[in-house]
Amino acid sequence: MRVSLQWLKELVNAGEADLAPDDLAERLSMAGFEVEQVEDLSRLAAGVVVGKVLKRDPHPDASKLSVCQVDAGHATPLQIVCGAANVRSGIHVAVALIGTTLPAAGLTIKEAELRGVPSQGMICSLSELGLAATSEGIAVLEDLLPQVPTVGSPIGPCFGLDDAVLELAITANRPDGLSMQGIAREVAALVGGSTNVPSGVPVKAEPLNVAASQHEALDAGGLFSLTELEGLTVGPSPIWMQQRLERAGVRAINNVVDITNLVMLETGQPLHAFDRDALADHSQGKARPDNIGLRQARDGETLLTLDGEQRQLDAEALVVTYSDQPIALAGVMGGSNEAVHEGTTSIWLEAAVFSPQSVRRSARRVGLRTEASSRFEKGLPPQATLAAADRAVALLQQICGATPTHRWLHQAALEPQTAIQLRRDALHNLLGPLGEAAGEQAGEDLDDASIVSTLSAIGCQLEATDHGWAVTVPVQRAIDLQREVDLIEEVARLVGYDRFSAHLPDPLVPGGLEPRQIVERRLRRALCTAGLQELSSLSLVAAASERMPLANPLLSDYGHLRHELHSDILAAARRNLQSGQEGFWGFEMGAVFAADGSARAELTAVLSGIRCSERWSSNGKPQPLTYHQARGLLQQAFAAIGLQPEDRRLVDHPLLHPGRAAKLVVEGRAIGWFGQLHPAQAEQADLPQATYVLTVELDPLFTAATRNNRWHVAFRAFSTQPASERDLAVLVPRELDSAELLQTINKAGRPLLEHAELIDRYEGDPVPEGLCSQAFRLRYRDPARTLVDEQVEQVHDVVIASVQKRFSALLRE
């Protein structure tokens, strides 16, 4: 938002307060309106004065140069050599004196000789003053100004170059900052002044039945109005209006269009003018307001917009129609065929409030963002729309000679505005006492009078209550002032954050990590220690049937939420391996989303190729991981958080090798899976066969890892008694997991069984078809005494009996 300081001073009664550009920029920045740049326009014409060409003679040695005698207010005329074709005697011009620097032209004027003739200055064109050139050659003041100033006076004020422009960065929660009146209210509150809001000409409104098939565009406070004006004359705008628009970065077109743009900059409300006679041509007769409609565009429809582009429309675009023909992209840009031109004598002035979502979708769909759409997208108060239309009517009467004849209005019901309760204690507790910058009030709470005056300055209405105030916020601030804390922040912002003392919470409570956070950090470190790198991929992905779509995506290729992590990590593995890396070991912890919008946290790891950080263990030769090596590395990471997930057979996962995959079970619940990538998947992804993938749900994993019994380390002395080992080999169905056997063995061998592990698994002759041999080593120990063979055999027999009973196992000799 570009803010003209001169225009701002007309809107603000600052009293004795100084509105110097640099000081104002500092105060606005401290109040939350960051000033990105202060542009001092006076430097563009510093040292340039009004001059009169007394005499013009041809140059004796150059046919395209003229030697001019110019009165610049000095005792004697200046001799200036000029190359412009339109220089002549008797005209008033802009003269840059010797020593003047022209930033727009990059020149410093010095006394010089041109083809042997001395020159004591330069006659300037508009472009050399940093202004838009309206004609070739030098600036002839008689053609540009209604009244020529005195010779020798500064030229800057004639073209508005005695101004300063502040460029403000407006945040999304402050749409009122996109208007001069909004900035004026802010400045008035900061300096303790008041605002001057120009008045308009009210027009009595009649009901308008808008044929709206897209009611959401006008529901919840939406508004659509048309004001008919007749007898206007279209022509160039006054100089003052053109200058204001130019300083705001808006190109002047004609007086009608310029008035709508000026009112938009002043009030923040976009307006649009339709040529009434052009609309009448659509209906083969007189223009009737009942023919106005609002709907979504149809696939294949086109609209020639004001910028001369023929735009293809679809159902995403919201259009204003006349006789069911699109005449404007609602809230974005009007149509060229219905635009105001030099022959226009009657117009319909549109003032509307469309829903931000509808305008945003339309602008994004056609790839067009305008000053109007940026304001609609942030939200506009419907209570101020007709006031902006009234202001435009007043200017159209004054400048174009227009006469308002009708106004038609369609307005949805407004939600009642409720007061916000502001508690005095809540404000003081949040802001604390005033600091040293407050002078004599240092150490005291902000007094009630300052609170009331601060909020009243931005237009709030306050009614005292027992514990504070009931605050009704102005309609322009209803978007960002909705809670008590918003009002407290507003007080602190306008009073000045630097005026409050810094204080810490009382009492101070030591912080620390939650158990879940500790477990998560331990798991991350353990995975990194095992040789994996942590990754971070985008949570936004392309469309797929099982993915959750976004309601308002920035790009169609990133319009859905991911439902798993392994696709992106496998793609990253492929890119790394294709770029010459010998291995890719990585993991990511992140959120994934189901099609119904529910979210869960997952850990996914991919081990593909060799570990890049070392080869000493394989004598410098590449050695891909085996299934059990990969599973063992990940098991070490789980051991760092005190868990040992059990492996259960998994044969039906489409991503994994059917014979080299396992479900991971913790506390009897499946929390994920691990396995080798299916050969077909590996070939399709251009990855090595020895690629392993792990996916685990983090919530049940962390729940199990943070149980109290896992966090209390109990000391247990080493036993001084000898252990006794026995081997147990059984024939069981080949589908039976060793984990189930170990669980039964450990339960049956209590309390003397200290440890049991699988040492061998065998299939083939002489083991019968459909069976396999699993051999376990069992270690028995009594911490209080030495066990004899009879005691060990007694417990060992119980273990054998349990295995035989539960699994119908055959003891292998």
Side-chain angles (χ1 to χ4, degrees), residues 324-372:
D324 204 36
Q325 297 297 315
I327 60 174
L329 272 171
V332 182
M333 184 176 284
S336 178
N337 296 331
E338 297 78 23
V340 173
H341 52 84
E342 291 183 357
T344 299
T345 58
S346 301
I347 63 170
W348 280 0
L349 181 67
E350 173 201 287
V353 176
F354 304 112
S355 74
Q357 297 83 359
S358 300
V359 175
R360 188 179 299 113
R361 283 196 297 267
S362 297
R364 185 183 65 248
R365 197 62 177 176
V366 300
L368 179 63
R369 186 175 175 83
T370 61
E371 290 283 346

Side-chain angles (χ1 to χ4, degrees), residues 421-433 445-448 451 465-469 484-485 488 500 503:
Q421 298 300 319
L422 175 59
R423 295 166 297 162
R424 185 181 293 103
D425 290 344
L427 184 145
H428 294 323
N429 290 336
L430 189 59
L431 299 183
D445 290 332
L446 187 67
D447 60 85
D448 288 359
I451 297 171
T465 63
D466 293 340
H467 304 288
W469 302 269
E484 180 184 49
V485 69
I488 296 174
F500 292 92
H503 64 287

Side-chain angles (χ1 to χ4, degrees), residues 372-518:
S373 67
S374 65
R375 286 164 170 81
F376 278 118
E377 289 176 20
K378 290 180 172 63
L380 294 174
Q383 297 88 340
T385 301
L386 293 183
D390 293 343
R391 169 64 172 153
V393 169
L395 290 173
L396 289 166
Q397 280 186 323
Q398 174 187 343
I399 297 171
C400 306
T403 301
T405 56
H406 294 91
R407 172 173 288 172
W408 301 280
L409 173 64
H410 174 92
Q411 185 171 11
L414 295 174
E415 296 182 0
Q417 189 175 11
T418 58
I420 303 172
Q421 298 300 319
L422 175 59
R423 295 166 297 162
R424 185 181 293 103
D425 290 344
L427 184 145
H428 294 323
N429 290 336
L430 189 59
L431 299 183
L434 295 170
E436 296 180 359
E440 296 180 356
Q441 294 180 324
E444 300 179 2
D445 290 332
L446 187 67
D447 60 85
D448 288 359
S450 298
I451 297 171
V452 172
S453 62
T454 300
L455 293 177
S456 299
I458 61 172
C460 292
Q461 298 178 0
L462 290 84
E463 181 180 347
T465 63
D466 293 340
H467 304 288
W469 302 269
V471 182
T472 303
V473 302
V475 294
Q476 297 85 357
R477 300 295 306 278
I479 293 177
D480 69 303
L481 298 182
Q482 299 181 352
R483 304 169 299 168
E484 180 184 49
V485 69
D486 297 331
L487 296 174
I488 296 174
E489 180 187 12
E490 200 70 6
V491 171
R493 188 177 65 84
L494 295 174
V495 171
Y497 291 109
D498 55 335
R499 296 191 62 200
F500 292 92
S501 62
H503 64 287
L504 296 174
D506 186 20
L508 286 175
V509 179
L513 296 176
E514 297 290 333
R516 180 188 173 98
Q517 295 172 315
I518 296 173

Side-chain angles (χ1 to χ4, degrees), residues 200-216:
V201 175
V203 180
K204 185 177 180 180
E206 304 171 16
L208 172 65
N209 181 22
V210 176
S213 58
Q214 178 64 23
H215 287 289
E216 73 171 37

Side-chain angles (χ1 to χ4, degrees), residues 316 357 360-361 364 540 548-554 558-561:
E316 286 287 309
Q357 297 83 359
R360 188 179 299 113
R361 283 196 297 267
R364 185 183 65 248
L540 300 179
M548 177 70 179
L550 296 180
N552 185 30
L554 292 175
Y558 298 95
H560 289 67
L561 294 170

Side-chain angles (χ1 to χ4, degrees), residues 636-711:
Q636 291 177 10
F638 290 131
I641 59 174
L643 295 178
Q644 294 291 332
E646 298 177 13
D647 290 18
R648 303 281 176 85
R649 186 181 300 274
L650 179 62
V651 295
D652 56 353
H653 198 292
L655 187 67
L656 303 179
H657 192 298
R660 298 171 187 172
K663 285 191 298 185
L664 303 182
V665 178
V666 171
E667 296 183 339
R669 174 183 175 183
I671 63 168
W673 45 263
F674 168 80
Q676 182 176 338
L677 194 63
H678 195 287
Q681 296 283 350
E683 182 179 358
Q684 182 181 354
D686 195 17
L687 290 171
Q689 294 292 326
T691 298
Y692 305 95
V693 185
L694 165 78
T695 291
V696 171
E697 287 189 49
L698 290 178
D699 288 337
L701 183 75
F702 290 160
T703 298
T706 54
R707 299 201 185 280
N708 291 334
N709 57 353
R710 301 187 190 276
W711 293 91

